[in-house]
Amino acid sequence: MPAVYARRIGMLASAAALTSLAVLANAPTAQAAPPAPISAAAARAYLATVTPTAEGSSSGYSRDLFPHWITQSGTCNTREVVLKRDGVNVVQDSSCAAVSGSWYSEYDGATWTAASDLDIDHMVPLAEAWRSGASSWTTAKRQQFANDLTRPQLIAVTDNVNQAKGDKDPAAWLPPRTAYRCTYVRMWVNVKQYWGLSIDSAEKTALTNVLNGC
């Protein structure tokens, strides 16, 4: 190969490499997230085995029966661990409280810079879990469920959006940001499957309808 062409190819390759680096440098910061849920195919396969069960009663339910935001390590409780995990450039003080950082709420696409604007959502709400089988659990098991960092059960989101969700299942509420709905229902099914919680008929239909479009 003539030297001039070799030099030209080398220059083009260098320019391409620099362009790639520039694109990477300008790319948005990757958002932290809960543990990855099961795939849509796995969620559909599990739902196919589920016989719907009528939802139980809320009688006797209290959030106090699901001790949450327990200490995880040092001065850090579950809420602070999730805020650190789900945020970007999160700075914590000596008591583990998040004093600065940035959080992207997957439910509505909003970005926040104050931890006070965020709730930690229980993917499967505590009251929903109670009606789906957790009423028969020990308090120790309910505590594990309410502080589960291993499954995709906890996520930092805009506080008023979480409050709009309340204790509704996917038949009654889905994230307003439609791009996240596939992930949301995969998370929901993952948590219900792992914890052996029942699924009612309307809930199964809603989950299946979303998953069929994933």
mmCIF file of all heavy atoms in Angstrom, residues 50-96:
data_model
loop_
_atom_site.group_PDB
_atom_site.id
_atom_site.type_symbol
_atom_site.label_atom_id
_atom_site.label_comp_id
_atom_site.label_asym_id
_atom_site.label_seq_id
_atom_site.Cartn_x
_atom_site.Cartn_y
_atom_site.Cartn_z
ATOM 1 N N VAL A 50 -50.115 -19.039 36.453
ATOM 2 C CA VAL A 50 -50.831 -18.490 37.613
ATOM 3 C C VAL A 50 -52.340 -18.675 37.478
ATOM 4 O O VAL A 50 -52.940 -18.297 36.465
ATOM 5 C CB VAL A 50 -50.506 -16.988 37.782
ATOM 6 C CG1 VAL A 50 -51.430 -16.347 38.816
ATOM 7 C CG2 VAL A 50 -49.050 -16.803 38.191
ATOM 8 N N THR A 51 -52.928 -19.251 38.499
ATOM 9 C CA THR A 51 -54.382 -19.301 38.591
ATOM 10 C C THR A 51 -54.816 -18.099 39.424
ATOM 11 O O THR A 51 -54.437 -17.992 40.594
ATOM 12 C CB THR A 51 -54.852 -20.593 39.279
ATOM 13 O OG1 THR A 51 -54.400 -21.718 38.521
ATOM 14 C CG2 THR A 51 -56.367 -20.602 39.411
ATOM 15 N N PRO A 52 -55.576 -17.177 38.827
ATOM 16 C CA PRO A 52 -55.962 -15.974 39.577
ATOM 17 C C PRO A 52 -56.684 -16.307 40.879
ATOM 18 O O PRO A 52 -57.473 -17.257 40.947
ATOM 19 C CB PRO A 52 -56.878 -15.233 38.604
ATOM 20 C CG PRO A 52 -56.456 -15.709 37.254
ATOM 21 C CD PRO A 52 -56.090 -17.149 37.445
ATOM 22 N N THR A 53 -56.382 -15.518 41.900
ATOM 23 C CA THR A 53 -56.987 -15.689 43.215
ATOM 24 C C THR A 53 -57.628 -14.376 43.641
ATOM 25 O O THR A 53 -57.011 -13.316 43.503
ATOM 26 C CB THR A 53 -55.908 -16.081 44.249
ATOM 27 O OG1 THR A 53 -55.259 -17.274 43.819
ATOM 28 C CG2 THR A 53 -56.519 -16.294 45.622
ATOM 29 N N ALA A 54 -58.838 -14.444 44.122
ATOM 30 C CA ALA A 54 -59.511 -13.224 44.580
ATOM 31 C C ALA A 54 -58.683 -12.562 45.668
ATOM 32 O O ALA A 54 -58.147 -13.231 46.562
ATOM 33 C CB ALA A 54 -60.904 -13.551 45.094
ATOM 34 N N GLU A 55 -58.575 -11.240 45.589
ATOM 35 C CA GLU A 55 -57.783 -10.503 46.566
ATOM 36 C C GLU A 55 -58.407 -10.596 47.944
ATOM 37 O O GLU A 55 -59.638 -10.558 48.092
ATOM 38 C CB GLU A 55 -57.674 -9.042 46.124
ATOM 39 C CG GLU A 55 -56.540 -8.285 46.791
ATOM 40 C CD GLU A 55 -56.247 -6.988 46.058
ATOM 41 O OE1 GLU A 55 -56.997 -6.017 46.287
ATOM 42 O OE2 GLU A 55 -55.288 -6.940 45.264
ATOM 43 N N GLY A 56 -57.551 -10.716 48.951
ATOM 44 C CA GLY A 56 -58.038 -10.822 50.309
ATOM 45 C C GLY A 56 -58.471 -9.489 50.888
ATOM 46 O O GLY A 56 -58.483 -8.454 50.212
ATOM 47 N N SER A 57 -58.796 -9.508 52.156
ATOM 48 C CA SER A 57 -59.285 -8.325 52.850
ATOM 49 C C SER A 57 -58.134 -7.464 53.370
ATOM 50 O O SER A 57 -57.031 -7.954 53.622
ATOM 51 C CB SER A 57 -60.151 -8.767 54.030
ATOM 52 O OG SER A 57 -60.437 -7.677 54.890
ATOM 53 N N SER A 58 -58.419 -6.173 53.529
ATOM 54 C CA SER A 58 -57.454 -5.258 54.151
ATOM 55 C C SER A 58 -57.600 -5.242 55.665
ATOM 56 O O SER A 58 -56.858 -4.529 56.352
ATOM 57 C CB SER A 58 -57.646 -3.835 53.611
ATOM 58 O OG SER A 58 -57.309 -3.755 52.246
ATOM 59 N N SER A 59 -58.542 -6.015 56.176
ATOM 60 C CA SER A 59 -58.799 -6.042 57.610
ATOM 61 C C SER A 59 -57.527 -6.382 58.377
ATOM 62 O O SER A 59 -56.833 -7.359 58.063
ATOM 63 C CB SER A 59 -59.887 -7.074 57.924
ATOM 64 O OG SER A 59 -60.109 -7.157 59.307
ATOM 65 N N GLY A 60 -57.225 -5.571 59.378
ATOM 66 C CA GLY A 60 -56.054 -5.819 60.209
ATOM 67 C C GLY A 60 -54.772 -5.226 59.691
ATOM 68 O O GLY A 60 -53.745 -5.259 60.365
ATOM 69 N N TYR A 61 -54.811 -4.677 58.468
ATOM 70 C CA TYR A 61 -53.579 -4.138 57.872
ATOM 71 C C TYR A 61 -53.100 -2.885 58.584
ATOM 72 O O TYR A 61 -53.894 -2.011 58.955
ATOM 73 C CB TYR A 61 -53.798 -3.799 56.392
ATOM 74 C CG TYR A 61 -52.660 -2.973 55.832
ATOM 75 C CD1 TYR A 61 -51.425 -3.551 55.586
ATOM 76 C CD2 TYR A 61 -52.823 -1.603 55.604
ATOM 77 C CE1 TYR A 61 -50.366 -2.792 55.105
ATOM 78 C CE2 TYR A 61 -51.768 -0.835 55.114
ATOM 79 C CZ TYR A 61 -50.545 -1.431 54.870
ATOM 80 O OH TYR A 61 -49.493 -0.679 54.408
ATOM 81 N N SER A 62 -51.798 -2.792 58.750
ATOM 82 C CA SER A 62 -51.139 -1.584 59.242
ATOM 83 C C SER A 62 -49.720 -1.573 58.691
ATOM 84 O O SER A 62 -49.060 -2.632 58.632
ATOM 85 C CB SER A 62 -51.085 -1.574 60.770
ATOM 86 O OG SER A 62 -50.198 -0.564 61.229
ATOM 87 N N ARG A 63 -49.242 -0.403 58.285
ATOM 88 C CA ARG A 63 -47.854 -0.295 57.810
ATOM 89 C C ARG A 63 -46.877 -0.720 58.899
ATOM 90 O O ARG A 63 -45.772 -1.192 58.609
ATOM 91 C CB ARG A 63 -47.555 1.139 57.367
ATOM 92 C CG ARG A 63 -48.210 1.513 56.050
ATOM 93 C CD ARG A 63 -47.896 2.945 55.658
ATOM 94 N NE ARG A 63 -46.494 3.150 55.300
ATOM 95 C CZ ARG A 63 -45.964 2.918 54.096
ATOM 96 N NH1 ARG A 63 -46.733 2.437 53.120
ATOM 97 N NH2 ARG A 63 -44.694 3.153 53.863
ATOM 98 N N ASP A 64 -47.282 -0.563 60.152
ATOM 99 C CA ASP A 64 -46.406 -0.937 61.261
ATOM 100 C C ASP A 64 -46.126 -2.436 61.285
ATOM 101 O O ASP A 64 -45.169 -2.888 61.924
ATOM 102 C CB ASP A 64 -47.021 -0.519 62.599
ATOM 103 C CG ASP A 64 -47.101 0.998 62.749
ATOM 104 O OD1 ASP A 64 -46.356 1.708 62.031
ATOM 105 O OD2 ASP A 64 -47.919 1.468 63.577
ATOM 106 N N LEU A 65 -46.965 -3.213 60.607
ATOM 107 C CA LEU A 65 -46.748 -4.655 60.538
ATOM 108 C C LEU A 65 -45.675 -5.026 59.513
ATOM 109 O O LEU A 65 -45.313 -6.199 59.391
ATOM 110 C CB LEU A 65 -48.070 -5.365 60.205
ATOM 111 C CG LEU A 65 -49.161 -5.242 61.274
ATOM 112 C CD1 LEU A 65 -50.486 -5.786 60.755
ATOM 113 C CD2 LEU A 65 -48.739 -5.963 62.550
ATOM 114 N N PHE A 66 -45.201 -4.021 58.774
ATOM 115 C CA PHE A 66 -44.111 -4.191 57.810
ATOM 116 C C PHE A 66 -42.978 -3.234 58.212
ATOM 117 O O PHE A 66 -42.791 -2.182 57.586
ATOM 118 C CB PHE A 66 -44.570 -3.835 56.398
ATOM 119 C CG PHE A 66 -45.588 -4.772 55.798
ATOM 120 C CD1 PHE A 66 -46.927 -4.682 56.143
ATOM 121 C CD2 PHE A 66 -45.210 -5.724 54.852
ATOM 122 C CE1 PHE A 66 -47.880 -5.517 55.564
ATOM 123 C CE2 PHE A 66 -46.147 -6.560 54.265
ATOM 124 C CZ PHE A 66 -47.481 -6.465 54.623
ATOM 125 N N PRO A 67 -42.231 -3.532 59.269
ATOM 126 C CA PRO A 67 -41.192 -2.591 59.714
ATOM 127 C C PRO A 67 -40.263 -2.240 58.552
ATOM 128 O O PRO A 67 -39.645 -3.124 57.948
ATOM 129 C CB PRO A 67 -40.456 -3.380 60.800
ATOM 130 C CG PRO A 67 -41.461 -4.385 61.291
ATOM 131 C CD PRO A 67 -42.237 -4.760 60.069
ATOM 132 N N HIS A 68 -40.190 -0.955 58.212
ATOM 133 C CA HIS A 68 -39.376 -0.584 57.057
ATOM 134 C C HIS A 68 -38.453 0.581 57.379
ATOM 135 O O HIS A 68 -38.557 1.216 58.416
ATOM 136 C CB HIS A 68 -40.248 -0.286 55.833
ATOM 137 C CG HIS A 68 -41.342 0.699 56.054
ATOM 138 N ND1 HIS A 68 -42.454 0.423 56.806
ATOM 139 C CD2 HIS A 68 -41.494 1.970 55.620
ATOM 140 C CE1 HIS A 68 -43.254 1.468 56.818
ATOM 141 N NE2 HIS A 68 -42.685 2.434 56.118
ATOM 142 N N TRP A 69 -37.544 0.745 56.449
ATOM 143 C CA TRP A 69 -36.426 1.677 56.570
ATOM 144 C C TRP A 69 -35.580 1.305 57.806
ATOM 145 O O TRP A 69 -35.222 2.131 58.609
ATOM 146 C CB TRP A 69 -36.874 3.116 56.611
ATOM 147 C CG TRP A 69 -37.756 3.575 55.488
ATOM 148 C CD1 TRP A 69 -38.460 4.741 55.455
ATOM 149 C CD2 TRP A 69 -38.048 2.938 54.238
ATOM 150 N NE1 TRP A 69 -39.168 4.853 54.286
ATOM 151 C CE2 TRP A 69 -38.935 3.760 53.510
ATOM 152 C CE3 TRP A 69 -37.661 1.735 53.637
ATOM 153 C CZ2 TRP A 69 -39.419 3.429 52.234
ATOM 154 C CZ3 TRP A 69 -38.156 1.399 52.378
ATOM 155 C CH2 TRP A 69 -39.002 2.234 51.702
ATOM 156 N N ILE A 70 -35.288 0.009 57.869
ATOM 157 C CA ILE A 70 -34.432 -0.497 58.940
ATOM 158 C C ILE A 70 -32.975 -0.156 58.634
ATOM 159 O O ILE A 70 -32.616 0.170 57.497
ATOM 160 C CB ILE A 70 -34.586 -2.029 59.090
ATOM 161 C CG1 ILE A 70 -34.165 -2.743 57.793
ATOM 162 C CG2 ILE A 70 -36.011 -2.391 59.482
ATOM 163 C CD1 ILE A 70 -34.076 -4.253 57.905
ATOM 164 N N THR A 71 -32.122 -0.234 59.625
ATOM 165 C CA THR A 71 -30.700 0.025 59.435
ATOM 166 C C THR A 71 -30.086 -1.067 58.566
ATOM 167 O O THR A 71 -30.272 -2.263 58.834
ATOM 168 C CB THR A 71 -29.978 0.079 60.791
ATOM 169 O OG1 THR A 71 -30.538 1.131 61.583
ATOM 170 C CG2 THR A 71 -28.489 0.334 60.601
ATOM 171 N N GLN A 72 -29.366 -0.642 57.536
ATOM 172 C CA GLN A 72 -28.696 -1.594 56.649
ATOM 173 C C GLN A 72 -27.220 -1.750 57.009
ATOM 174 O O GLN A 72 -26.686 -2.846 57.009
ATOM 175 C CB GLN A 72 -28.842 -1.145 55.184
ATOM 176 C CG GLN A 72 -30.256 -1.212 54.653
ATOM 177 C CD GLN A 72 -30.755 -2.634 54.465
ATOM 178 O OE1 GLN A 72 -29.976 -3.580 54.410
ATOM 179 N NE2 GLN A 72 -32.073 -2.793 54.386
ATOM 180 N N SER A 73 -26.576 -0.629 57.306
ATOM 181 C CA SER A 73 -25.179 -0.663 57.757
ATOM 182 C C SER A 73 -24.828 0.697 58.345
ATOM 183 O O SER A 73 -25.254 1.732 57.814
ATOM 184 C CB SER A 73 -24.227 -0.987 56.600
ATOM 185 O OG SER A 73 -24.261 0.022 55.616
ATOM 186 N N GLY A 74 -24.078 0.685 59.437
ATOM 187 C CA GLY A 74 -23.688 1.941 60.065
ATOM 188 C C GLY A 74 -24.903 2.780 60.422
ATOM 189 O O GLY A 74 -25.801 2.323 61.134
ATOM 190 N N THR A 75 -24.934 4.011 59.885
ATOM 191 C CA THR A 75 -26.079 4.901 60.136
ATOM 192 C C THR A 75 -27.043 4.923 58.958
ATOM 193 O O THR A 75 -27.975 5.734 58.933
ATOM 194 C CB THR A 75 -25.581 6.339 60.393
ATOM 195 O OG1 THR A 75 -24.825 6.789 59.254
ATOM 196 C CG2 THR A 75 -24.698 6.402 61.635
ATOM 197 N N CYS A 76 -26.840 4.049 57.981
ATOM 198 C CA CYS A 76 -27.641 4.073 56.748
ATOM 199 C C CYS A 76 -28.845 3.144 56.842
ATOM 200 O O CYS A 76 -28.695 1.939 57.045
ATOM 201 C CB CYS A 76 -26.793 3.662 55.549
ATOM 202 S SG CYS A 76 -25.395 4.753 55.227
ATOM 203 N N ASN A 77 -30.038 3.724 56.669
ATOM 204 C CA ASN A 77 -31.233 2.885 56.617
ATOM 205 C C ASN A 77 -31.584 2.568 55.166
ATOM 206 O O ASN A 77 -30.912 3.014 54.232
ATOM 207 C CB ASN A 77 -32.399 3.529 57.372
ATOM 208 C CG ASN A 77 -32.912 4.810 56.717
ATOM 209 O OD1 ASN A 77 -32.732 5.039 55.524
ATOM 210 N ND2 ASN A 77 -33.576 5.653 57.500
ATOM 211 N N THR A 78 -32.615 1.796 54.978
ATOM 212 C CA THR A 78 -32.967 1.327 53.631
ATOM 213 C C THR A 78 -33.258 2.488 52.685
ATOM 214 O O THR A 78 -32.827 2.474 51.532
ATOM 215 C CB THR A 78 -34.183 0.384 53.695
ATOM 216 O OG1 THR A 78 -33.937 -0.654 54.637
ATOM 217 C CG2 THR A 78 -34.471 -0.235 52.330
ATOM 218 N N ARG A 79 -33.978 3.502 53.163
ATOM 219 C CA ARG A 79 -34.283 4.643 52.299
ATOM 220 C C ARG A 79 -33.008 5.302 51.786
ATOM 221 O O ARG A 79 -32.891 5.585 50.588
ATOM 222 C CB ARG A 79 -35.137 5.678 53.054
ATOM 223 C CG ARG A 79 -35.340 6.978 52.258
ATOM 224 C CD ARG A 79 -36.141 8.032 53.015
ATOM 225 N NE ARG A 79 -36.002 9.345 52.380
ATOM 226 C CZ ARG A 79 -36.716 9.774 51.332
ATOM 227 N NH1 ARG A 79 -37.634 8.987 50.798
ATOM 228 N NH2 ARG A 79 -36.520 10.974 50.824
ATOM 229 N N GLU A 80 -32.049 5.526 52.661
ATOM 230 C CA GLU A 80 -30.819 6.200 52.246
ATOM 231 C C GLU A 80 -29.994 5.331 51.300
ATOM 232 O O GLU A 80 -29.355 5.844 50.369
ATOM 233 C CB GLU A 80 -29.991 6.596 53.471
ATOM 234 C CG GLU A 80 -30.688 7.561 54.419
ATOM 235 C CD GLU A 80 -31.094 8.888 53.768
ATOM 236 O OE1 GLU A 80 -30.584 9.214 52.685
ATOM 237 O OE2 GLU A 80 -31.942 9.591 54.345
ATOM 238 N N VAL A 81 -30.030 4.033 51.509
ATOM 239 C CA VAL A 81 -29.324 3.124 50.601
ATOM 240 C C VAL A 81 -29.914 3.219 49.191
ATOM 241 O O VAL A 81 -29.197 3.276 48.185
ATOM 242 C CB VAL A 81 -29.376 1.670 51.117
ATOM 243 C CG1 VAL A 81 -28.871 0.693 50.055
ATOM 244 C CG2 VAL A 81 -28.539 1.526 52.383
ATOM 245 N N VAL A 82 -31.249 3.256 49.101
ATOM 246 C CA VAL A 82 -31.903 3.345 47.787
ATOM 247 C C VAL A 82 -31.637 4.707 47.139
ATOM 248 O O VAL A 82 -31.394 4.790 45.933
ATOM 249 C CB VAL A 82 -33.419 3.075 47.906
ATOM 250 C CG1 VAL A 82 -34.114 3.279 46.559
ATOM 251 C CG2 VAL A 82 -33.664 1.653 48.410
ATOM 252 N N LEU A 83 -31.686 5.778 47.923
ATOM 253 C CA LEU A 83 -31.387 7.105 47.372
ATOM 254 C C LEU A 83 -29.972 7.144 46.798
ATOM 255 O O LEU A 83 -29.744 7.706 45.725
ATOM 256 C CB LEU A 83 -31.551 8.179 48.448
ATOM 257 C CG LEU A 83 -32.989 8.540 48.821
ATOM 258 C CD1 LEU A 83 -33.005 9.456 50.038
ATOM 259 C CD2 LEU A 83 -33.711 9.208 47.651
ATOM 260 N N LYS A 84 -29.031 6.551 47.502
ATOM 261 C CA LYS A 84 -27.650 6.504 47.020
ATOM 262 C C LYS A 84 -27.560 5.673 45.747
ATOM 263 O O LYS A 84 -26.925 6.063 44.769
ATOM 264 C CB LYS A 84 -26.745 5.915 48.108
ATOM 265 C CG LYS A 84 -25.290 5.720 47.699
ATOM 266 C CD LYS A 84 -24.538 7.028 47.598
ATOM 267 C CE LYS A 84 -23.045 6.787 47.420
ATOM 268 N NZ LYS A 84 -22.289 8.061 47.300
ATOM 269 N N ARG A 85 -28.221 4.532 45.739
ATOM 270 C CA ARG A 85 -28.181 3.621 44.593
ATOM 271 C C ARG A 85 -28.828 4.209 43.351
ATOM 272 O O ARG A 85 -28.289 4.099 42.245
ATOM 273 C CB ARG A 85 -28.899 2.315 44.973
ATOM 274 C CG ARG A 85 -28.902 1.240 43.889
ATOM 275 C CD ARG A 85 -29.967 0.197 44.151
ATOM 276 N NE ARG A 85 -31.318 0.735 43.965
ATOM 277 C CZ ARG A 85 -32.429 0.103 44.326
ATOM 278 N NH1 ARG A 85 -32.359 -1.072 44.926
ATOM 279 N NH2 ARG A 85 -33.615 0.655 44.105
ATOM 280 N N ASP A 86 -29.980 4.847 43.516
ATOM 281 C CA ASP A 86 -30.756 5.305 42.367
ATOM 282 C C ASP A 86 -30.368 6.695 41.890
ATOM 283 O O ASP A 86 -30.877 7.149 40.857
ATOM 284 C CB ASP A 86 -32.254 5.303 42.708
ATOM 285 C CG ASP A 86 -32.826 3.887 42.815
ATOM 286 O OD1 ASP A 86 -32.054 2.927 42.682
ATOM 287 O OD2 ASP A 86 -34.039 3.758 43.043
ATOM 288 N N GLY A 87 -29.511 7.390 42.615
ATOM 289 C CA GLY A 87 -29.129 8.738 42.226
ATOM 290 C C GLY A 87 -27.778 8.798 41.529
ATOM 291 O O GLY A 87 -27.076 7.797 41.386
ATOM 292 N N VAL A 88 -27.433 9.997 41.097
ATOM 293 C CA VAL A 88 -26.142 10.256 40.454
ATOM 294 C C VAL A 88 -25.413 11.323 41.269
ATOM 295 O O VAL A 88 -26.019 12.327 41.666
ATOM 296 C CB VAL A 88 -26.345 10.739 38.995
ATOM 297 C CG1 VAL A 88 -25.015 11.137 38.367
ATOM 298 C CG2 VAL A 88 -27.015 9.646 38.167
ATOM 299 N N ASN A 89 -24.144 11.063 41.545
ATOM 300 C CA ASN A 89 -23.314 12.001 42.324
ATOM 301 C C ASN A 89 -23.955 12.342 43.672
ATOM 302 O O ASN A 89 -23.960 13.503 44.101
ATOM 303 C CB ASN A 89 -23.054 13.287 41.527
ATOM 304 C CG ASN A 89 -22.302 13.037 40.234
ATOM 305 O OD1 ASN A 89 -21.433 12.167 40.186
ATOM 306 N ND2 ASN A 89 -22.636 13.773 39.189
ATOM 307 N N VAL A 90 -24.474 11.328 44.333
ATOM 308 C CA VAL A 90 -25.128 11.542 45.624
ATOM 309 C C VAL A 90 -24.075 11.709 46.726
ATOM 310 O O VAL A 90 -23.158 10.893 46.854
ATOM 311 C CB VAL A 90 -26.060 10.366 45.970
ATOM 312 C CG1 VAL A 90 -26.688 10.559 47.345
ATOM 313 C CG2 VAL A 90 -27.151 10.231 44.905
ATOM 314 N N VAL A 91 -24.228 12.785 47.490
ATOM 315 C CA VAL A 91 -23.355 13.042 48.640
ATOM 316 C C VAL A 91 -24.175 12.857 49.908
ATOM 317 O O VAL A 91 -25.297 13.376 50.011
ATOM 318 C CB VAL A 91 -22.772 14.472 48.583
ATOM 319 C CG1 VAL A 91 -21.957 14.762 49.842
ATOM 320 C CG2 VAL A 91 -21.916 14.650 47.334
ATOM 321 N N GLN A 92 -23.635 12.097 50.843
ATOM 322 C CA GLN A 92 -24.329 11.836 52.101
ATOM 323 C C GLN A 92 -23.558 12.451 53.264
ATOM 324 O O GLN A 92 -22.329 12.516 53.241
ATOM 325 C CB GLN A 92 -24.480 10.327 52.325
ATOM 326 C CG GLN A 92 -25.359 9.651 51.281
ATOM 327 C CD GLN A 92 -25.331 8.135 51.389
ATOM 328 O OE1 GLN A 92 -24.263 7.547 51.417
ATOM 329 N NE2 GLN A 92 -26.502 7.514 51.450
ATOM 330 N N ASP A 93 -24.287 12.899 54.289
ATOM 331 C CA ASP A 93 -23.619 13.466 55.463
ATOM 332 C C ASP A 93 -23.267 12.346 56.449
ATOM 333 O O ASP A 93 -23.441 11.155 56.150
ATOM 334 C CB ASP A 93 -24.477 14.560 56.096
ATOM 335 C CG ASP A 93 -25.795 14.048 56.672
ATOM 336 O OD1 ASP A 93 -25.933 12.815 56.853
ATOM 337 O OD2 ASP A 93 -26.684 14.876 56.930
ATOM 338 N N SER A 94 -22.790 12.726 57.620
ATOM 339 C CA SER A 94 -22.307 11.738 58.590
ATOM 340 C C SER A 94 -23.414 10.821 59.104
ATOM 341 O O SER A 94 -23.143 9.730 59.604
ATOM 342 C CB SER A 94 -21.639 12.444 59.774
ATOM 343 O OG SER A 94 -22.553 13.332 60.402
ATOM 344 N N SER A 95 -24.664 11.267 58.982
ATOM 345 C CA SER A 95 -25.782 10.421 59.403
ATOM 346 C C SER A 95 -26.384 9.649 58.233
ATOM 347 O O SER A 95 -27.436 9.023 58.359
ATOM 348 C CB SER A 95 -26.864 11.264 60.074
ATOM 349 O OG SER A 95 -27.435 12.177 59.152
ATOM 350 N N CYS A 96 -25.718 9.703 57.080
ATOM 351 C CA CYS A 96 -26.090 8.979 55.852
ATOM 352 C C CYS A 96 -27.225 9.643 55.081
ATOM 353 O O CYS A 96 -27.701 9.101 54.085
ATOM 354 C CB CYS A 96 -26.448 7.520 56.150
ATOM 355 S SG CYS A 96 -26.173 6.431 54.717
#
